[in-house]
Structure formats: structure tokens, C-alpha cells
Amino acid sequence: MIVQPKVRGFICTTAHPTGCRKNIENQIIYTKNKGTFNGPKKVLIIGSSTGYGLASRVTLAFGSGADTLGIMFEKQASEKRTATAGYYNTKAFEEFATNEGLYAKTINGDAFSTEIKEQTIATIKEDLGKIDCVIYSLAAPRRTVSDGTTYSSVLKTVENPFTEKNLNLRNNEITTATIEPATNEEITATVKVMGGEDWINWIDVLTKADVLSDNAMTIAYSYIGPELTYPVYCNGTIGKAKEHLYNSSIEINQKYGSKIKAYISVNKALVTQASCAIPIVPLYITILYKVMKEMGIHEDCLMQMNRLFKDKMSSSEIETDKEGRIRLDDWELREDVQDKVNDIWQKINNDNVEQYIDLEGYWEAFYQMFGFKIEDVDYDADVEI
Ligand code: NAD
């Protein structure tokens, strides 16, 4: 089949197997070039197939020689449809890792479910014995809990409507978007999906099954961002969920402190399948990319994860802020960066948009997530999907 991108709104409904494979190959080359480090050796990554979870997996496998077990929720190909990008990424990752003698298995199913947790524990017992690191990198739209209730997360404000400039990704025009406040039920549901309840649940069941080694660590990813996006992110429904995630790290440390240490890593805003869906944020990201690239300090998911595990976490003294969080958003939130972003934000309109945002960089990152627009891939060739 000749596979072309089919973009609908903020998602691409096709993925290119060769492009995704090339992406993984490039990520492995980058990681190897950065050099090895002494990190965890047996790692469970919950949300391992795209974005920050995938970047963590590549970094730990090819930088620290880690055996990895991944959990993902991805679709296989059918006769007419390609698989999802995360599926192709994972197949390629497993092949490259296995060829280098690293253990790499992936469980495809709902990480929130008891069944997948049990399957994970059985796999760890059989293949790995114990694990020394659990990465929690889920970005999910909904969660079904054990009594059958399904909660859906929303990206809304918490008190008042919020109107701001927005980038219309269909025609690249600057418009304004108004985000309405969520109801109490919607806030609760978002916290259920994106908060830390399921993270704690994972740590509880892994501890109970005795599959965590002594001095294991667990890390979940969060975001804060600049004041500009506070109403929609930090003080919005997703921010409430992230607050719960942070409190969950404290709860895990209180409960299991001597055995497992929980961390929150606050990462940089990047184009991923999850972040494209947040209103107003894509305009911020395109401005941020422009500013940080011009300053020579732009990073993608892989660069961020390399800095996390190699620079921030591999020494015995892990560098945190006073709340105990690891700050990978340190460069994004630098005053000189945010001053430039704010200045552009004030000036930007449809006449000057191309001058002030990294639209090309945004779309390149977007297409590349699905295996398109990658160098040395023949997109006219027939591929086995
Ligand atoms: P992503 O969409 O690229 O990845 C999400 C992963 O979760 C995928 O592997 C997917 O298969 C998996 N997943 C989703 N639902 C699942 C389910 N029910 N069961 C099993 N697996 C499931 O997202 P991302 O942007 O890498 O986000 C990961 C984490 O990083 C999130 O907590 C997000 O808030 C955080 N974060 C993202 C950004 C950003 O700008 N993208 C910035 C800071 C922090």
C-alpha cells in the first residue's frame, strides 16, 4: 500500500511503518551519540509507545542498557487501515533492542484495567524477576474503573471562561478561542483520568506482588507552563489532575518511602498527540519553538529524556526544586525565553504570523510523529502495513 498522511483536526489517521521505524532508528543513534550513563536496568514504562514514554524507553534502553517492558494502547493494522504510529514505533523498537541483546516486550491493552496490571506482574515475574524503575507516562482521554464507570477528561477552565489568541491548525490562521469552565463532574472526571489514582494503584499492586527491587524509583510526567496558559493548563481541569498527580507522589513516598522513591518530572511543552488537543497551547508551542530554536536551546522529547536520565537523575543527588519536583522546564521558563514569547504573543496577528511562529517546525514535528516527512524514506514505495 502507498501510505499518505490523512490529517483530521489535530490528529493524523494514518501512520507510515517505514517512517516510524526510521524515527526510532534516528532516536537510537542520537541516544548512542550522547553516550552511556548509569541508570535503571529493568524498567516498566506505562505509556511507552509515543511522546515522552517512548523517549524514556529509547533513552534507558540505549543509554543505560535497560531491559524494558512497555504498556501501550495502540491499534494494529487491518486490511485497509494502517496501524497507529505507536504500534509501528513499538515493533521497530522491539526489533532494534532485541538485536542488541536487550529485553523488550510490550503489552497492548488498557493500563487502567486490573487485567493488564495482572498480565504485567505475571510477565515481570516470568521474564525480569524484579524491576527498578516504573515510568508513568499515560495521556488518555478516558478511564473505565473497576465498577464499570467510565470517566472522560476535558480540557477546560475551572472558574471563568477564558478567551485568548489561538492558532487554527486547519488553516494556520490566528483566531480567538474561548474555553468554557468545566462542571464539578468534569473536573472530578479529569482528575480520575489524568490524576495520580491509577499511578498509586500500579505501585500498590506491584509492591504487593513483590516485583519491585529495593530502592526502586517511579517517575510521572507533569507540566506547569507560563502564566499565559495558566487558565487553560495549570489552573484548568488538567492542572487539577496534575496537582493530584503531584500529591500522589507525596502519598507514594509516605507509604513506601524506604522501598520506592516517587518523582514528578515537570517537562517542556512539546508537540505530541496529547498536547495538540489542548486549545490555545499550539500557538504557545509554535512561538516557543521559534524562540528556543533561535536561542539554540530547543529540545524535543528525546533530548528532554536524555537530560532527565543522564544529567538530572544519574548522580546520587537528584536535582529538584523546593517542592521536590525535577524541573526539565527550566529552559522553557527562563525569563529571557518567556519575555520573548510574551512580546510575540502581544504582537502576533494574521499579517505577521509567519514571521513570529515556527509553523514549519510545528507541522514537521506533527507529521514526523506519524512517520511522515522523514529524510531517506521513499513515500512513493509500496509498503507492507
Ligand atoms: P502521548 O499521547 O504521546 O503518549 C501517551 C501514551 O499513553 C501512549 O503510549 C499511549 O499508547 C498510552 N496510553 C494512552 N491511553 C492508554 C491506556 N488506557 N492504556 C495504556 N496505554 C495508554 O502523550 P505525551 O505528551 O507523551 O504525554 C505523556 C505524559 O507527559 C502525560 O502525563 C503528559 O501530561 C505529560 N507531559 C506532556 C507534555 C507535552 O507537551 N506533550 C509536557 C509535559 C508533560
Side-chain angles (χ1 to χ4, degrees):
M1 185 191 280
I2 309 279
V3 182
Q4 298 289 345
K6 276 194 198 130
V7 179
R8 297 226 175 88
F10 47 78
I11 193 86
C12 181
T13 59
T14 54
H16 200 282
T18 322
C20 289
R21 192 174 191 284
K22 187 79 192 159
N23 240 341
I24 299 296
E25 202 181 341
N26 290 341
Q27 292 196 16
I28 293 169
I29 293 170
Y30 174 88
T31 307
K32 285 184 172 176
N33 283 342
K34 280 289 181 182
T36 54
F37 58 92
N38 191 20
K41 300 292 178 230
K42 290 184 181 184
V43 184
L44 169 66
I45 301 127
I46 303 160
S48 61
S49 54
T50 55
Y52 276 116
L54 172 67
S56 309
R57 190 175 199 181
V58 173
T59 304
L60 291 171
F62 292 91
S64 172
D67 290 334
T68 57
L69 174 61
I71 315 292
M72 65 177 187
F73 207 28
E74 301 291 347
K75 282 204 183 85
Q76 292 190 34
S78 64
E79 231 165 79
K80 282 186 257 159
R81 283 178 78 97
T82 69
T84 52
Y87 188 87
Y88 291 135
N89 290 339
T90 301
K91 288 291 148 201
F93 173 85
E94 286 176 349
E95 187 195 318
F96 286 118
T98 311
N99 283 346
E100 299 214 7
L102 296 168
Y103 172 93
K105 258 193 198 172
T106 312
I107 295 171
N108 191 8
D110 184 4
F112 294 121
S113 70
T114 307
E115 188 197 339
I116 292 297
K117 289 184 174 82
E118 283 170 355
Q119 204 180 320
T120 305
I121 289 167
T123 309
I124 297 171
K125 281 189 171 165
E126 210 171 299
D127 298 350
L128 296 166
K130 292 194 180 201
I131 44 172
D132 54 7
C133 178
V134 180
I135 291 167
Y136 192 81
S137 186
L138 285 188
R142 67 192 68 81
R143 168 182 172 201
T144 301
V145 296
S146 50
D147 71 2
T149 313
T150 297
Y151 296 94
S152 293
S153 65
V154 298
L155 293 159
K156 291 189 176 178
T157 62
V158 159
E159 270 167 15
N160 302 310
F162 174 59
T163 301
E164 247 309 345
K165 286 178 182 170
N166 182 47
L167 176 64
N168 182 341
L169 290 167
R170 285 195 186 85
N171 55 15
N172 303 329
E173 269 183 21
I174 307 287
T175 54
T176 49
T178 298
I179 302 167
E180 296 298 330
T183 61
N184 284 337
E185 287 73 32
E186 286 175 320
I187 298 169
T188 307
T190 307
V191 172
K192 277 270 177 203
V193 181
M194 288 298 287
E197 191 177 70
D198 181 61
W199 183 26
I200 296 180
N201 201 224
W202 268 100
I203 301 303
D204 283 343
V205 297
L206 293 168
T207 308
K208 197 160 167 237
D210 196 22
V211 291
L212 296 177
S213 58
D214 289 338
N215 301 318
M217 66 173 173
T218 182
I219 313 159
Y221 299 138
S222 190
Y223 183 67
I224 295 175
E227 271 176 44
L228 184 68
T229 60
Y230 274 7
V232 53
Y233 200 100
C234 200
N235 295 337
T237 49
I238 182 76
K240 291 278 165 217
K242 292 299 185 189
E243 194 180 307
H244 188 276
L245 190 74
Y246 171 69
N247 290 334
S248 304
S249 71
I250 297 172
E251 199 176 320
I252 294 171
N253 284 330
Q254 282 167 350
K255 221 165 155 182
Y256 302 111
S258 60
K259 193 169 167 61
I260 178 161
K261 186 95 185 73
Y263 294 96
I264 292 289
S265 171
V266 183
N267 301 346
K268 178 193 179 202
L270 282 172
V271 180
T272 65
Q273 295 191 37
S275 67
C276 292
I278 309 175
I280 297 169
V281 167
L283 178 60
Y284 169 71
I285 291 182
T286 52
I287 298 174
L288 184 73
Y289 273 32
K290 174 97 176 168
V291 169
M292 291 185 82
K293 281 181 185 177
E294 277 176 6
M295 294 171 83
I297 51 171
H298 172 74
E299 294 173 294
D300 58 17
C301 286
L302 189 67
M303 291 160 149
Q304 280 257 297
M305 291 302 100
N306 197 274
R307 195 151 68 89
L308 174 65
F309 293 110
K310 195 159 175 277
D311 301 346
K312 299 239 181 206
M313 296 198 82
S314 72
S315 73
S316 53
E317 268 304 292
I318 292 175
E319 191 189 310
T320 62
D321 65 11
K322 57 181 189 313
E323 280 83 27
R325 301 166 301 192
I326 300 166
R327 301 302 296 262
L328 278 178
D329 60 347
D330 44 0
W331 298 354
E332 170 182 353
L333 294 187
R334 253 167 55 173
E335 209 178 314
D336 52 349
V337 172
Q338 287 304 320
D339 282 351
K340 286 184 185 176
V341 170
N342 277 323
D343 182 48
I344 293 178
W345 191 277
Q346 301 312 321
K347 287 197 284 212
I348 199 160
N349 58 45
N350 274 318
D351 299 327
N352 60 22
V353 56
E354 288 186 14
Q355 182 189 339
Y356 288 129
I357 68 174
D358 182 21
L359 201 52
E360 207 178 298
Y362 183 92
W363 282 113
E364 185 184 69
F366 177 87
Y367 280 109
Q368 288 185 346
M369 280 194 298
F370 302 94
F372 298 104
K373 296 193 196 285
I374 291 167
E375 238 178 88
D376 298 330
V377 176
D378 180 2
Y379 291 104
D380 297 323
D382 209 3
V383 281
E384 181 63 60
I385 61 162

